[in-house]
């Protein structure tokens, strides 16, 4: 067994000193090429694999990981991601791992760039990034590559950035799946509402954009006769802002009885329907956050698609730990399950697999 192979055994087989073997095993300098070759050949012949777990504990080295993510107030999706990352850090406290969370404002130009510079200032050993768009994020990730700092993408996958790994849903497939499920109950309709939270006329999440593309792709292929009527509402709005917009929308579109949104705020419409005591309209949304769960239980939301935000945060930290501390290979693309939650099965949903 690997754990029974002693440094002394390796030295005898290689014909070198114990000290030279120790330097090779721990990556230290001052080893001649000839001695290194002999030791590496002996290690291969003896099928030696170092106990990285024990070595990492014994090294007593400290590590700093950073999580660069959007600032949030009441968005439980981001809170779950943060909680997952913090819990993973706590689970590895014996390895002297620290986590610094750095927030950027999605609605302030330049905020991501400014906070990414702060992230570099703390000299992290690894970074978890919730990316902005490609053009904004790429200068930061290129700098991380130059510094040889591994990074993991969370929520939105941008392969051009060449991350160590990605954790999140396949957004296109998720939107395609959402359309298929919605049409089980809305296939006889003439129109459905697509509620979008926008800033300057566009959604601020690449993930939501890709979900919308997947949704429309399915609809064009299978239900081209059903109109998709968009309702754009401000991302930073309040109930007082949203209510007149929805009043006017449903006044103009009395034929609409089903809505979909690709963010975690389906409860905006769900709460409105409950206040208006309307049972003729249902909505489908994302994320098993508390406000959505309440609407699901009350019946104003028909379906929620879960994406395991807590698990995403936890898994990203584990990926950095395994790659940087344990020196393990990491699976580059890690898709979260696409799970459909209804009132009937919501009590059996578990937020964490850890």
């Amino acid at each position: 067994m690997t754990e029974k192979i002693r440094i002394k055994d390796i030295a005898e087989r290689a014909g070198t000193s114990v000290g030279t073997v120790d330097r090779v095993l721990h990556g230290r300098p001052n080893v001649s090429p000839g001695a290194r070759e002999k030791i590496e050949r002996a290690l291969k012949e003896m099928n030696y694999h170092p106990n990285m777990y024990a070595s990492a504990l014994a090294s007593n080295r400290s590590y700093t990981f950073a999580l660069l993510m959007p600032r949030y107030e009441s968005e439980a999706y981001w809170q779950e991601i943060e909680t997952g990352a913090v819990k993973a850090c706590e689970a590895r406290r014996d390895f002297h791992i620290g986590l610094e969370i750095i927030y950027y404002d999605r609605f302030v130009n330049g905020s991501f760039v400014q906070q990414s510079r702060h992230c570099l200032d703390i000299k992290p050993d690894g970074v978890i990034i919730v990316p902005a768009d490609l053009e904004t994020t790429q200068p930061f990730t290129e700098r991380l590559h130059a510094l040889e700092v591994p990074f993991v993408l969370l929520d939105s996958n941008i392969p051009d950035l060449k991350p160590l790994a990605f954790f999140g849903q396949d957004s296109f497939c998720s939107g395609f799946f959402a359309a298929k499920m919605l049409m089980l109950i809305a296939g006889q309709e003439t129109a459905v509402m697509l509620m979008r939270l926008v800033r300057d006329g566009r959604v601020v999440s690449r993930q939501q954009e890709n979900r919308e593309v997947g949704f429309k792709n399915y609809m064009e292929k299978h239900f081209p006769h059903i109109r998709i009527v968009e309702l754009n509402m401000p991302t930073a709005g309040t109930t007082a802002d949203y209510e007149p917009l929805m009043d006017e929308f449903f006044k103009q579109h009395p034929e609409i009885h089903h809505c979909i949104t690709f963010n975690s705020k389906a409860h905006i419409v769900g709460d409105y329907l409950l206040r208006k005591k309307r049972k003729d309209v249902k909505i489908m949304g994302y994320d098993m956050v508390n406000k959505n769960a309440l609407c699901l239980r009350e019946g104003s939301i028909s379906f929620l698609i879960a994406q395991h935000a807590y698990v995403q945060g936890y898994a990203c930290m584990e990926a950095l730990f395994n790659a940087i501390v344990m020196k393990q290979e990491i699976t580059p693309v890690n898709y979260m399950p696409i799970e459909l939650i209804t009132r009937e099965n919501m009590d059996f949903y578990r937020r964490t697999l850890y």
Side-chain angles (χ1 to χ4, degrees), residues 47-252:
N47 195 28
Y48 174 83
H49 298 285
N51 186 336
M52 296 305 301
Y53 197 91
S55 298
L57 282 173
S59 72
N60 206 35
R61 180 189 163 183
S62 61
Y63 301 86
T64 298
F65 295 159
L67 168 57
L68 181 61
M69 64 178 293
R71 181 176 290 110
Y72 63 89
E73 293 181 3
S74 60
E75 294 180 73
Y77 171 70
W78 298 117
Q79 183 178 0
E80 283 280 285
I81 283 176
E82 181 175 333
T83 300
V86 169
K87 291 295 184 182
C89 183
E90 292 174 354
R92 300 298 186 181
R93 63 167 63 93
D94 290 346
F95 294 87
H96 310 286
I97 291 175
L99 175 63
E100 177 139 354
I101 302 173
I102 301 169
Y103 305 97
Y104 65 90
D105 194 325
R106 290 170 291 168
F107 312 120
V108 175
N109 292 331
S111 178
F112 181 93
V113 173
Q114 180 181 1
Q115 294 303 86
S116 66
R117 289 172 182 161
H118 172 58
C119 183
L120 293 172
D121 289 341
I122 69 173
K123 296 181 170 56
D125 296 287
V127 184
I128 302 167
I129 306 171
V130 178
D133 57 68
L134 173 64
E135 293 73 17
T136 303
T137 309
Q138 193 163 36
F140 174 48
T141 57
E142 287 179 348
R143 184 62 181 150
L144 291 176
H145 281 302
L147 294 170
E148 298 184 342
V149 175
F151 65 90
V152 173
L153 294 183
L154 188 156
D155 188 63
S156 296
N157 191 16
I158 308 178
D160 289 346
L161 300 179
K162 300 177 181 178
L164 171 71
F166 162 73
F167 289 86
Q169 281 189 343
D170 182 321
S171 302
F172 179 90
C173 288
S174 179
F176 196 92
F177 172 81
K180 188 172 184 178
M181 294 301 100
L182 183 63
M183 289 302 102
L184 292 177
I185 60 174
Q188 302 303 313
E189 301 293 320
T190 59
V192 296
M193 179 233 277
L194 170 59
M195 191 274 278
R196 307 162 81 236
L197 294 177
V198 301
R199 175 175 176 255
D200 298 329
R202 56 169 293 182
V203 297
V204 296
S205 166
R206 177 175 175 143
Q207 183 191 64
Q208 291 176 42
E209 288 179 350
N210 289 339
R211 288 173 182 166
E212 186 174 322
V213 171
F215 177 83
K216 290 180 176 178
N217 182 274
Y218 180 89
M219 295 298 290
E220 289 169 3
K221 287 182 177 179
H222 301 283
F223 292 87
H225 61 283
I226 296 182
R227 292 179 297 116
I228 301 171
V229 185
E230 296 178 359
L231 171 60
N232 292 335
M233 298 199 288
T235 51
T238 64
T239 300
D241 299 318
Y242 297 143
E243 185 145 340
L245 293 174
M246 286 187 281
D247 282 341
E248 182 62 23
F249 180 89
F250 285 113
K251 180 180 178 181
Q252 292 184 11

Side-chain angles (χ1 to χ4, degrees), residues 276-316:
K276 299 293 184 178
K277 299 186 181 341
R278 291 195 60 171
K279 297 184 178 181
D280 61 323
V281 179
K282 304 293 182 184
I283 186 169
M284 181 177 187
Y286 278 73
D287 299 323
M288 187 66 166
V289 299
N290 186 55
K291 290 183 178 180
N292 284 346
L294 292 175
C295 291
L296 187 65
R297 196 176 295 281
E298 292 297 320
S300 59
I301 291 179
S302 299
F303 300 124
L304 288 172
I305 294 179
Q307 56 179 328
H308 296 279
Y310 176 93
V311 175
Q312 288 184 54
Y314 199 109
C316 285

